[in-house]
Amino acid sequence: QVQVVESGGGSAQAGGSLRLSCTVYGLDFDDYGGSWFRQAPGKERERVSCIGYTGASAHFVDSVKGRFTISRDNAKNTLYLQMNDLKPEDTAMYYCAVDTARRRSCSAYSSSFTYSWGQGTQVTVSS
């Protein structure tokens, strides 16, 4: 059974930084892409960033490009999201998600794809 355990998050002021981590158990993580999603109150969930299983490719939603960095350490089965220059509109619950399909490209995204999900961690950015 796959377990995805998140850590990090919290509160920051606008312009500040936070780092999210998630560790994956029960899976050969180096065969699967990893993503971070977020959902703000009253809004739909969106995929913030995705990194391929090798770590060689990454995708970002336009609103975070140049501010967020995604990375992975396959030796530690861990996925990271470094968030810099935070804005109040980044306030949301953030979820780590591991693809259920082996070696699927991040460029191939559909809302019908299935993932193993973390429990979520709140990020709150004040102005």
Side-chain angles (χ1 to χ4, degrees), residues 2-117:
V2 179
Q3 243 190 325
V4 181
V5 180
E6 298 182 35
S7 60
S11 298
Q13 290 195 326
S17 298
L18 288 171
R19 189 193 199 202
L20 307 182
S21 302
C22 78
T23 301
V24 183
Y25 301 92
L27 185 76
D28 289 331
F29 182 50
D30 53 5
D31 266 350
Y32 296 86
S35 298
W36 289 94
F37 288 76
R38 67 184 179 187
Q39 188 167 21
K43 294 189 176 181
E44 291 190 356
R45 184 177 61 193
E46 67 172 347
R47 191 181 74 165
V48 176
S49 183
C50 173
I51 187 168
Y53 65 98
T54 66
S57 65
H59 290 251
F60 298 89
V61 68
D62 285 346
S63 59
V64 308
K65 284 180 180 177
R67 301 189 297 119
F68 289 12
T69 304
I70 189 170
S71 61
R72 61 189 295 157
D73 185 338
N74 285 343
K76 295 181 178 180
N77 272 25
T78 299
L79 183 70
Y80 304 96
L81 185 69
Q82 177 67 42
M83 305 183 291
N84 298 329
D85 190 23
L86 284 162
K87 302 178 179 181
E89 50 264 41
D90 294 320
T91 296
M93 186 71 79
Y94 283 71
Y95 297 91
C96 178
V98 179
D99 203 338
T100 57
R102 290 177 71 245
R103 302 191 177 188
R104 179 159 54 194
S105 170
C106 284
S107 62
Y109 173 65
S110 167
S111 58
S112 66
F113 289 173
T114 58
Y115 298 88
S116 297
W117 294 94

